[in-house]
Amino acid sequence: MQEVTKVGPHDPRRLTAVEFQNLARVPAAVEWFANLDNPRTRRAYQNDLEDFCSFVGLASADEFRVVTRSHVLAWRADLEKRGLARATIRRKLAALTSLFDHLLENNAVAGGNPVHGVKRPKIESNEGKTPALGDHQAKDLLEAPDETTLKGLRDRAILAVLLYHGLRREEAALLQVSDIQERRGIQHLKIYGKGGKIRYLPLHPVAAGRIHLYLERSGHHADDKKVPMFRPLRGRSTGAGVSANGIYTVVEAYAKKAGIQVAGLGVHGLRATAATNALEHEADIAKVQAWLGHANISTTKIYDRRQNRPEDSPTYKVKY
């Protein structure tokens, strides 16, 4: 062990003594925040914790040890008084729960997690459900881009990747050509999901065909497959792919072109469409959970609308 860890007299030290001591004193709360990989989650959780600290009056990360369940209950009551959505309150409490779990693991606080036992507001059956497209609307959206132009071919491929695989917009933006990989003789997409988790999804034949046509016309992967799958077509090339916001713009533009008027559609609406369609065609919900990259199956159940299909309503059983 000593042979592995000792530092020779001429070995360059990567951290100075001062840097080493400073890092040793980093509060556990700061460590927890630094480990949040997804930038959107980081921003949301930062706002949530700033809200809590402002309400309670915490001035530093070290003061979390004085927080009790009464403080959390008072905060929850204040959030409700301010008229925040139930889903928003649940997320804020989840952020605080995650932080205190980390603090407990690192012995930065004692006495248990003060958020445990604080009831989360129930979400009504129709709250928090992202709108999903009907089959005819999804088909119209898939056919909206012009297949005679490079931009149209790229955007047809983007829409197919989203609608046939249920990806988040960040996941679609991160795709590289090299992420098309063969596994057991079947082409798969290698997806970099939340929290750095990787999953492999069989590539749908329609999406595969569209990607092939786009890459054949683009040719930007000829010398190196470790390049973004979807590249911007305007402005000076930087080698970066279409951004997550760019993916959103693609969806928004073609939904408008196809005459699809669904409030709050966005990329997540296509994810909901894919999940709903898969479930309605008898896909196993546990497999849909893994397919979407959900950590908890309760999130997947939000997309299970089979109990509310209009065509199954008793209305259509009434006969006179």
Side-chain angles (χ1 to χ4, degrees), residues 151-290:
K151 182 180 186 304
L153 288 174
R154 184 202 67 181
D155 295 347
R156 285 170 67 85
I158 288 174
L159 293 173
V161 164
L162 294 173
L163 276 167
Y164 284 105
H165 304 91
L167 301 190
R168 302 176 177 94
R169 61 179 177 173
E170 292 87 354
E171 293 171 345
L174 287 173
L175 282 174
Q176 294 189 332
V177 178
S178 59
D179 290 328
I180 300 177
Q181 301 181 4
E182 192 166 295
R183 295 165 64 86
R184 297 187 180 183
I186 302 294
Q187 283 191 322
H188 284 65
L189 285 177
K190 183 179 182 180
I191 308 300
Y192 296 86
K194 280 187 174 182
K197 294 180 181 178
I198 294 175
R199 65 188 191 278
Y200 293 88
L201 308 182
L203 183 57
H204 193 282
V206 172
R210 290 189 174 203
I211 291 172
H212 175 74
L213 288 174
Y214 157 60
L215 292 178
E216 189 177 47
R217 174 78 72 87
S218 172
H220 69 277
H221 65 301
D223 298 324
D224 184 6
K225 294 190 183 302
K226 289 190 72 65
V227 293
M229 184 176 295
F230 304 118
R231 295 203 313 175
L233 300 176
R234 294 180 180 177
R236 186 177 177 180
S237 177
T238 63
V242 175
S243 67
N245 285 337
I247 299 287
Y248 175 86
T249 300
V250 167
V251 173
E252 186 179 44
Y254 288 109
K256 184 177 180 180
K257 181 180 178 181
I260 299 172
Q261 298 181 343
V262 176
L265 178 60
V267 179
H268 209 72
L270 303 196
R271 181 168 161 85
T273 299
T276 300
N277 189 286
L279 289 167
E280 288 186 344
H281 288 89
E282 309 308 322
D284 181 84
I285 193 166
K287 291 182 178 179
V288 173
Q289 175 193 355

Side-chain angles (χ1 to χ4, degrees), residues 11-65:
D11 291 336
R13 183 168 181 162
R14 295 182 182 274
L15 291 177
T16 66
V18 173
E19 288 173 332
F20 180 86
Q21 292 298 329
N22 286 340
L23 286 174
R25 289 194 292 267
V26 170
V30 178
E31 288 181 354
W32 168 83
F33 186 75
N35 280 327
L36 296 176
D37 294 324
N38 187 288
R40 294 177 67 193
T41 302
R42 190 182 299 117
R43 284 194 299 271
Y45 277 20
Q46 181 177 10
N47 291 334
D48 296 338
L49 293 176
E50 285 177 354
D51 190 323
F52 177 74
C53 290
S54 175
F55 176 79
V56 178
L58 300 184
S60 70
D62 293 329
E63 295 182 11
F64 280 107
R65 64 170 63 93

Side-chain angles (χ1 to χ4, degrees), residues 98-112:
S98 176
L99 169 62
F100 273 101
D101 283 344
H102 178 80
L103 296 178
L104 284 164
E105 288 175 5
N106 288 272
N107 297 316
V109 297

